[in-house]
Amino acid sequence: MEKQELGLEITELRLGLPTSDVCSKKRGYSELTDENSLSNEEQQQHQQQQHKNLNKAQIVGWPPVRSYRKKINKTGSKGSDCGKMYVKVSKDGAPILRKIDLNTHKGYADLVVQFEELFGCFAVEGGVLRDYSDKSEFVPIYEDKDGDWMLLGDVPWEMFIESCKRLRIMRRTEALELKY
Amino acid sequence: MTYFPEEVLEHIFDFLSSHQDRNAVSMVCKSWFRVERWSRQRVFIGNCYAIRPERLVARFPRLRSLTLKGKPHFADFNLVPHDWGGFVQPWIEAMAKSCKELEELRLKRMVVSDESLELLSRSFPNFKSLVLVTCEGFTTAGLASVAANCRDLRELDLQENEVEDRKGHWLSCFPDTCTSLVSLNFACLKGEVNLGALERLVARCRNLRSLRVNGAVPMETLEKILARAPQLVDLGIGSYNHEPNSVAYTKFRNTILTCKSIKSLSGFLEVFPRCLPAIYPVCLSITSLNLSYAPGIRGLSLLSSFVTATSFNAFGSILDAIADKGLEVVASTCKELRELRVFPSLFGAENAAVTEKGLVAISVGCPKLHSLLYFCHQMTNAALITVAKNCPHFSRFRLCILDPQKPDANTQQPLDEGFGAIVQSCRGLRRLSLSGLLTDQVFLYIGMYAEQLEMLSVAFAGETDKGMLYVLNGCKNLRKLEIRDSPFGDVALLMDVGKYETMRSLWMSSCNVTLAGCKTLAIKMPRLNVEIINEFNDMEVEEEENLCDSQKVEKMYVYRTLDGPRQDAPNFVTRL
C-alpha cells in the first residue's frame, strides 16, 4: 500500500535521531487511514496532511526535547538498548575471531543462534553446544568486567551484557582440564 | 500626603519580595523611585536584550542578585542557530565596574565564556551563588577559576549545560579553606573528576545540603561522601553500578541508611538495576524524584517497584518507559503529587509508552497536580476533559503528542475540545503548550478563558489568522508567545501591533509571515526589535536585497527593548 511505502521512505531519509515516533507515526497513520472509519473526503484530507508531514521528512526540533536530554537517552547507561555493543567472539580451533553486537540480541537463545551462523556446524542440544564437524562439545564462556571468565547463562541477560567484555567458545575438554 | 522619611520607605519596601510589586512601587513618584532603586537587591531580566547592562547598573547600584535569560525558548530545540547571541560578558563587565556587592548570578540559555567566569570570580568579593541552566560556551577551566577565587561560594549549580571538559581537575581548585559550600551540582559534566578532592571537599563543608554528581563518580566514592555528609537533603547519584554482592555495594547499603534527611533524589546516570533496592529505604520519605536521566532504569516492573518504594509527593520526573501501568501505580501511591514530568525515551521501548490512559489515572489519583509536562503517543478529548475536571489547579500544562497534528485517537477529531476544557477549568493557568490536531477553535477557547495565561507554545496548529488573533486579543496577561509551523501570517501579526509592547517576546517560525509584514511591524513599533533569522542566505549580501518582500520569513523573533538594536547580532540575524 502506498502509505506503507511512504512510511519506509521516512525511515530511510532520516539521518538524525532514530526516534521511536517514526514507528509510531507509521502505526498512527495506518490507524488514521483505516478505510472503514473515514469518508473519502476525510481520507483525502488525512492523506494531504500526511503528505505535508512527510515533506518535512526531518522535522527540526521535534519532539521538543533538549539535546542534552536526547544525548542522555542515547548514551545513558552503557548497554541496555542503547547503541551498539560489539564484543569479540573466539572459538577454539577457529583461527579468525568474529564480532557480535550484543544489543541485537534479546537473550541467550538468540545469541547462541548467532554462534551457529558465525561458526557453522553448530547446534545446541540439551543445553550443550555441539560442533558436528569437529565431533566435540563446546562451552560458551565470557570475560566479565573484573577479568574473570564466567559461564554463559548464569546471570540475567541485562546483567550479562552490562559486564561482558568478550566471548569465547571453549572446548569442553579444555574446560575440564582447567579444573585441575 | 503624609511624608515618610526615606528610611521608613526603604524598610517597608524590604517586605516586598516580588519583582512585580517592586516595579509597581517604583512608578508611584520620583521619591519612591529613588528609594526603591537604592534599596533594590534582586533583579530579574527575562530577555537580556531588553536593556543594556549599563542601564541596569546605573539604576540599581546596590544589586546583589541578577537573573538573566538569553536565547528564546525554542533555542532548546535547535531552532536558533548557534551564534545567535545571549552573551553574559557585557553584563559581568558592567557589574564589575559598578555593582561590587553582587552575590548571586542566575543565567538561563546564555553564552558564558571562561573569560566571563574568570572575571566573575575576581570581581565580586561577596559572590556566593552561581546557577547556570542550559548555558554553553565554557569549559572546566572556567569552573576552576570560580572554585579557586570565590572565597565564600555557597552554591555552584550547573543544570544541563554544554560544558567542554579540559581535564583540569577543577574540583581540586577549591582551596582547603573553602568550607562554605551548601549546594554543588555538576551532574551535567561529562569528564572525570578528582575523587579524592571531592571527598575532602564534602568532608570540610559541613553545611552541604545538596550534592549532585556526574557519572564519573562511582559507588565507592559516593559511599564515602555519604558517610561524611549524612545531613544531605538533596542527592544526585552518578554511577550506580556494582554487583549486588560486592563489598562496595554492601558498604553503600549500610551507609545510606544513615542519611535520614534526604528529600530529593535524582541522577542514576549509570545504573545497575539490581542495586536499586539499597536506595528504597531512603526513598520512603522523599518528596522529589527525578529519574528522567536514567534510561538504565528500564522495564515496567523495575520502575514500578521503584515508585512504590518511594512516594514522591512534590515532584516526579520520569521517562515514558514507566508506561500507563506505571503511572497508575504512581497515581495510587503519590497522592500529594504536585508536579509531574514524563519524558519520551526516544530509543527503543516502543511498547512502553504513555497514552491518555496514564494521564487520566494520574488526574484521578493526584488532584493537587498543578504542573505537568507530558510526552505521549496519543491523546483524546475525553481524557483531557476528564483531566480538566479532576485537576482544576493547573498553572502549567504542557502536553506533547509525539506525532505532530495527531487527532483524537478514538474519534479522529481535533483536540480543540480537550484543550478547551483545560483552559476553562484551570482558571489559574499560566503556561500552556499545545500539540496534536488543532483548528482555530482551540485558540478561541484560549482567548476566551485563559485569562492568566502568560506563556503559550504552539506547533503545527491552527487554520487561519483568526487563531492567532483570538489569543492576542483575549489573553491580557500574555508575556511570551512562540509559534512554529502554523498558518498565521501578516494579517494576524499586524492587527494589534501595540500588543507586543506588553509582551516580552514573540517567536514565529515556519509560519506565513512575510518580510513585508515584518518590515511594517518594525516601522510601526520602533521600540520593538524585529529580528529575522535567515540561516541559508549568503552572509555577505544584505538580506533585504536577497529576499523580496512577499517572501515568507523563516524565523522571526520580536521583543520589546529599551535600547534599540543590539550590537552583537551575527550575520544571519537582521534587525529591520
Side-chain angles (χ1 to χ4, degrees):
Chain A
M1 202 171 110
E2 195 196 13
K3 293 176 189 50
Q4 296 297 73
E5 280 170 30
L6 289 169
L8 285 171
E9 260 176 26
I10 280 194
T11 328
E12 280 164 27
L13 284 172
R14 256 180 197 268
L15 300 170
L17 304 160
T19 53
S20 62
D21 67 81
V22 174
C23 305
S24 66
K25 198 183 269 205
K26 282 195 275 191
R27 280 206 290 276
Y29 282 110
S30 51
E31 273 170 47
L32 283 183
T33 56
D34 177 13
E35 288 170 28
N36 295 329
S37 67
L38 295 178
S39 70
N40 259 343
E41 197 188 271
E42 282 176 295
Q43 231 189 330
Q44 224 176 21
Q45 258 177 29
H46 279 124
Q47 253 190 17
Q48 278 166 13
Q49 250 170 34
Q50 199 180 359
H51 279 256
K52 197 166 74 162
N53 284 332
L54 295 176
N55 286 336
K56 308 177 177 106
Q58 279 193 325
I59 302 178
V60 177
W62 195 265
V65 175
R66 284 183 188 154
S67 32
Y68 176 85
R69 212 170 264 290
K70 283 181 180 167
K71 283 179 201 162
I72 289 280
N73 274 311
K74 234 196 256 191
T75 61
S77 62
K78 298 201 181 94
S80 298
D81 301 335
C82 305
K84 299 206 176 292
M85 273 197 75
Y86 280 105
V87 294
K88 286 186 194 168
V89 187
S90 61
K91 182 192 159 205
D92 288 355
I96 311 263
L97 277 64
R98 305 298 299 268
K99 267 206 163 165
I100 286 186
D101 179 4
L102 291 180
N103 262 329
T104 60
H105 297 282
K106 298 193 190 66
Y108 292 113
D110 242 9
L111 183 62
V112 170
V113 167
Q114 194 169 11
F115 289 160
E116 276 187 49
E117 287 169 15
L118 289 179
F119 296 107
C121 310
F122 239 48
V124 184
E125 276 186 2
V128 163
L129 291 171
R130 214 178 281 267
D131 186 338
Y132 288 106
S133 66
D134 215 3
K135 291 192 178 23
S136 53
E137 291 174 22
F138 288 81
V139 175
I141 59 176
Y142 69 100
E143 186 184 12
D144 75 354
K145 264 189 199 164
D146 299 325
D148 300 317
W149 286 94
M150 318 283 292
L151 185 66
L152 200 74
D154 282 343
V155 299
W157 176 254
E158 294 87 77
M159 196 184 280
F160 162 70
I161 60 178
E162 295 261 9
S163 54
C164 171
K165 278 170 47 187
R166 56 186 297 172
L167 284 157
R168 177 177 164 195
I169 302 173
M170 186 166 71
R171 280 213 180 82
R172 184 175 273 270
T173 46
E174 205 173 322
L176 292 171
E177 274 167 20
L178 287 174
K179 268 192 184 170
Y180 305 110
Chain B
M1 184 173 124
T2 320
Y3 174 70
F4 279 117
E6 293 195 347
E7 299 78 36
V8 176
L9 272 179
E10 188 175 323
H11 187 63
I12 296 175
F13 291 169
D14 272 349
F15 291 103
L16 298 173
S17 50
S18 101
H19 294 291
Q20 274 154 327
D21 287 342
R22 292 209 66 129
N23 292 345
V25 303
S26 69
M27 295 202 286
V28 166
C29 64
K30 279 202 180 126
S31 123
W32 281 39
F33 179 88
R34 198 172 52 241
V35 173
E36 199 281 321
R37 126 173 211 259
W38 279 101
S39 63
R40 176 94 130 198
Q41 294 183 347
R42 314 182 67 86
V43 171
F44 168 85
I45 296 181
N47 174 7
C48 65
Y49 290 118
I51 184 173
R52 271 180 307 114
E54 293 76 28
R55 268 227 224 194
L56 173 77
V57 306
R59 180 167 165 189
F60 301 116
R62 309 272 302 280
L63 195 60
R64 295 214 189 155
S65 163
L66 177 64
T67 305
L68 275 175
K69 293 190 182 180
K71 301 185 193 180
H73 175 231
F74 276 174
D76 279 350
F77 318 128
N78 298 331
L79 286 181
V80 175
H82 181 66
D83 321 317
W84 178 85
F87 305 102
V88 77
Q89 179 71 8
W91 294 89
I92 298 184
E93 279 173 6
M95 288 189 293
K97 290 194 195 113
S98 324
C99 293
K100 289 299 210 171
E101 293 175 22
L102 189 72
E103 292 179 7
E104 177 180 80
L105 186 62
R106 310 168 73 94
L107 305 177
K108 188 166 186 180
R109 277 190 290 273
M110 293 199 71
V111 178
V112 180
S113 65
D114 285 344
E115 290 70 32
S116 302
L117 290 175
E118 165 89 27
L119 182 60
L120 174 78
S121 71
R122 294 196 184 283
S123 308
F124 309 107
N126 295 337
F127 195 77
K128 294 189 169 56
S129 169
L130 180 64
V131 180
L132 302 177
V133 181
T134 46
C135 295
E136 49 160 357
F138 60 103
T139 76
T140 45
L143 296 178
S145 40
V146 172
N149 303 328
C150 297
R151 298 282 162 78
D152 200 21
L153 193 69
R154 306 259 166 97
E155 181 178 21
L156 179 61
D157 187 358
L158 308 171
Q159 298 176 30
E160 298 195 3
N161 302 291
E162 298 284 343
V163 186
E164 191 190 312
D165 201 280
R166 287 267 172 91
K167 309 220 186 303
H169 292 232
W170 63 277
L171 259 180
S172 322
C173 294
F174 281 105
D176 292 338
T177 48
C178 170
T179 57
S180 49
L181 271 184
V182 173
S183 166
L184 177 63
N185 172 9
F186 60 93
C188 66
L189 297 187
K190 313 254 183 11
E192 302 295 317
V193 289
N194 186 328
L195 299 177
L198 177 61
E199 287 170 41
R200 290 190 295 277
L201 182 65
V202 170
R204 62 181 185 269
C205 294
R206 309 305 311 160
N207 292 324
L208 192 68
R209 289 278 170 280
S210 164
L211 178 66
R212 297 187 186 193
V213 302
N214 72 352
V217 177
M219 198 187 263
E220 294 95 336
T221 308
L222 190 61
E223 187 271 325
K224 290 182 196 155
I225 288 173
L226 291 176
R228 305 287 209 148
Q231 78 281 4
L232 279 179
V233 169
D234 169 31
L235 178 62
I237 291 180
S239 210
Y240 195 75
N241 50 3
H242 259 270
E243 303 281 333
N245 48 14
S246 66
V247 172
Y249 178 76
T250 313
K251 275 182 96 172
F252 177 85
R253 207 177 51 198
N254 292 330
T255 306
I256 198 153
L257 290 172
T258 65
C259 301
K260 304 208 184 298
S261 309
I262 295 183
K263 288 264 167 285
S264 164
L265 201 57
S266 62
F268 298 97
L269 308 172
E270 283 194 30
V271 62
F272 217 41
R274 307 252 293 194
C275 296
L276 285 175
I279 281 283
Y280 292 173
V282 170
C283 294
L284 289 175
S285 56
I286 65 168
T287 57
S288 167
L289 178 67
N290 186 340
L291 295 179
S292 65
Y293 300 120
I297 301 183
R298 298 189 152 277
L300 175 59
S301 53
L302 194 58
L303 272 167
S304 294
S305 38
F306 202 106
V307 168
T308 46
T310 79
S311 51
F312 50 97
N313 55 37
F315 175 81
S317 187
I318 42 187
L319 292 174
D320 68 359
I322 196 172
D324 288 335
K325 280 274 183 301
L327 288 178
E328 284 165 24
V329 172
V330 170
S332 61
T333 57
C334 306
K335 297 297 185 187
E336 299 292 309
L337 195 64
R338 285 178 172 66
E339 285 188 54
L340 176 67
R341 299 187 195 192
V342 182
F343 290 97
S345 310
L346 291 180
F347 232 105
E350 290 93 355
N351 298 326
V354 297
T355 69
E356 76 278 7
K357 299 191 179 59
L359 185 58
V360 169
I362 290 282
S363 74
V364 169
C366 313
K368 293 189 184 174
L369 202 62
H370 70 70
S371 175
L372 178 75
L373 172 60
Y374 197 75
F375 285 84
C376 60
H377 284 253
Q378 64 181 50
M379 187 50 58
T380 65
N381 283 312
L384 284 174
I385 292 169
T386 307
V387 169
K389 209 163 43 147
N390 293 336
C391 295
H393 302 297
F394 276 119
S395 63
R396 286 193 293 269
F397 189 86
R398 296 192 279 161
L399 182 68
C400 179
I401 303 165
L402 292 168
D403 264 347
Q405 298 180 321
K406 189 165 185 180
D408 181 316
N410 290 340
T411 66
Q412 310 310 325
Q413 293 299 305
L415 290 170
D416 302 331
E417 298 306 311
F419 280 105
I422 294 285
V423 294
Q424 205 172 340
S425 163
C426 306
R427 307 317 304 240
L429 195 67
R430 286 183 289 119
R431 181 168 179 185
L432 178 65
S433 297
L434 304 172
S435 60
L437 183 65
L438 296 165
T439 71
D440 288 345
Q441 184 71 13
V442 70
F443 299 106
L444 175 63
Y445 290 140
I446 293 172
M448 272 171 66
Y449 296 114
E451 288 166 358
Q452 302 300 319
L453 195 66
E454 293 175 3
M455 180 170 176
L456 179 64
S457 306
V458 178
F460 304 100
E463 296 163 312
T464 74
D465 285 325
K466 279 201 257 170
M468 185 167 160
L469 286 171
Y470 291 143
V471 171
L472 291 175
N473 291 337
C475 299
K476 297 290 174 230
N477 286 309
L478 196 64
R479 288 199 205 159
K480 287 191 282 184
L481 179 58
E482 48 186 22
I483 305 173
R484 63 167 292 182
D485 295 275
S486 301
F488 307 133
D490 296 340
V491 170
L493 181 69
L494 298 172
M495 185 66 69
D496 177 11
V497 292
K499 173 78 176 173
Y500 306 123
E501 268 194 5
T502 70
M503 291 167 53
R504 187 189 299 170
S505 65
L506 167 70
W507 168 280
M508 292 180 76
S509 59
S510 305
C511 297
N512 293 341
V513 172
T514 69
L515 185 59
C518 297
K519 282 182 177 173
T520 310
L521 177 61
I523 292 170
K524 284 190 178 180
M525 303 293 297
R527 285 207 300 228
L528 297 178
N529 275 353
V530 179
E531 290 184 6
I532 307 295
I533 298 173
N534 264 314
E535 290 171 83
F536 304 112
N537 273 339
D538 185 9
M539 303 283 209
E540 269 110 54
V541 182
E542 272 297 298
E543 269 70 15
E544 282 99 307
E545 289 166 33
N546 256 354
L547 286 182
C548 70
D549 278 6
S550 59
Q551 200 161 334
K552 285 188 197 168
V553 153
E554 189 191 309
K555 293 172 188 170
M556 176 193 77
Y557 184 51
V558 178
Y559 55 91
R560 65 181 175 192
T561 177
L562 292 175
D563 287 312
R566 56 184 175 114
Q567 306 303 320
D568 60 3
N571 284 342
F572 51 80
V573 174
T574 315
R575 187 208 184 242
L576 299 175

